[in-house]
């Protein structure tokens, strides 16, 4: 690993949910967070993960739950609450603050990620989220593919060599 970069990668996970963001509490925690928008949640407040928005370096939109269908993942203005995530380092899950559901995908395929109820045994919910020095990358666990934001507002999982502009799979952590 080069100096100045931080990588969060896991190859195995415990079969338990941990921390204050268990599924049943996530909806309530997200609602409280949104209702008290003047109160910021600092990433350091969660020893087992961090709160963040992921802004695409190409179009400046953030990864977010779709407004019309909360099972879909798309892009939104970064001020939108649907773009707020908790990355649980213990479970390697990306949990949306608004829905309490986890970012998911069909293992070993390309295509669109989606939202589903969090489950510790669901390998499609295991993500590597890491600072690569100048950008953040979001990848399915044990995969060479990356979360990619497209000009039409869609998000897919693609191999980097199949993307015409590397900024489409590079994110700023807000």
């Amino acid at each position: 690993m080069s100096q100045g970069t931080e990588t969060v990668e896991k190859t195995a996970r415990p079969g338990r949910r941990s921390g204050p963001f268990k599924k049943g509490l996530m909806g309530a925690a997200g609602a409280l967070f949104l209702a008290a928008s003047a109160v910021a949640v600092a990433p350091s407040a969660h020893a087992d993960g961090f709160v963040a928005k992921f802004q695409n370096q190409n179009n400046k939109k953030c990864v977010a739950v779709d407004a019309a269908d909360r099972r879909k993942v798309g892009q939104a203005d970064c001020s939108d609450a649907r773009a707020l995530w908790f990355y649980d380092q213990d479970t390697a899950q990306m949990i949306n603050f608004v829905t309490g559901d986890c970012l998911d995908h069909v293992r070993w395929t390309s295509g669109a990620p989606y939202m589903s109820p969090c489950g510790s045994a669901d390998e499609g919910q295991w993500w590597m989220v890491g600072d690569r020095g100048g950008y953040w990358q979001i990848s399915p666990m044990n995969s060479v593919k990356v979360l990619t934001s497209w000009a039409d507002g869609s998000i897919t999982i693609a191999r980097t060599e199949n993307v015409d502009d590397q900024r489409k799979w590079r994110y700023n952590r807000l």
Side-chain angles (χ1 to χ4, degrees):
M1 181 164 50
S2 63
Q3 187 175 24
T5 63
E6 171 190 342
T7 304
V8 177
E9 297 183 11
K10 296 176 124 1
T11 56
R13 306 178 346 161
R16 63 176 179 82
R17 295 288 323 234
S18 65
F21 292 94
K22 294 181 181 179
K23 184 174 188 304
L25 297 178
M26 179 52 95
L32 276 175
F33 178 81
L34 296 174
S37 59
V39 178
V41 177
S44 60
H46 309 288
D48 60 345
F50 58 84
V51 175
K53 293 182 179 187
F54 295 97
Q55 180 190 53
N56 183 259
Q57 289 189 348
N58 185 53
N59 63 17
K60 305 303 182 205
K61 296 287 186 181
C62 279
V63 177
V65 173
D66 187 83
D69 184 348
R70 62 184 264 164
R71 294 169 299 184
K72 293 182 180 178
V73 179
Q75 301 173 60
D77 186 271
C78 293
S79 64
D80 194 311
R82 296 174 295 119
L84 188 61
W85 300 88
F86 176 72
Y87 180 67
D88 187 326
Q89 292 175 321
D90 288 341
T91 64
Q93 291 171 310
M94 286 186 58
I95 306 165
N96 185 269
F97 255 88
V98 171
T99 67
D101 288 334
C102 284
L103 185 64
D104 204 338
H105 72 289
V106 177
R107 298 275 297 158
W108 314 114
T109 66
S110 294
Y114 56 92
M115 301 302 297
S116 68
C118 297
S120 62
D122 186 346
E123 292 182 15
Q125 295 179 359
W126 300 352
W127 297 90
M128 296 181 295
V129 177
D131 180 358
R132 303 292 189 231
Y135 68 94
W136 282 73
Q137 182 175 311
I138 304 168
S139 301
M141 188 68 65
N142 301 320
S143 174
V144 297
K145 297 176 183 173
V146 292
L147 199 67
T148 306
S149 297
W150 300 98
D152 67 359
S154 67
I155 292 184
T156 63
I157 298 166
R159 294 179 67 93
T160 57
E161 62 268 19
N162 295 336
V163 180
D164 62 337
D165 184 343
Q166 64 187 5
R167 294 175 303 155
K168 291 179 179 177
W169 50 265
R170 292 182 173 195
Y171 296 88
N172 299 317
R173 178 180 159 194
L174 306 179

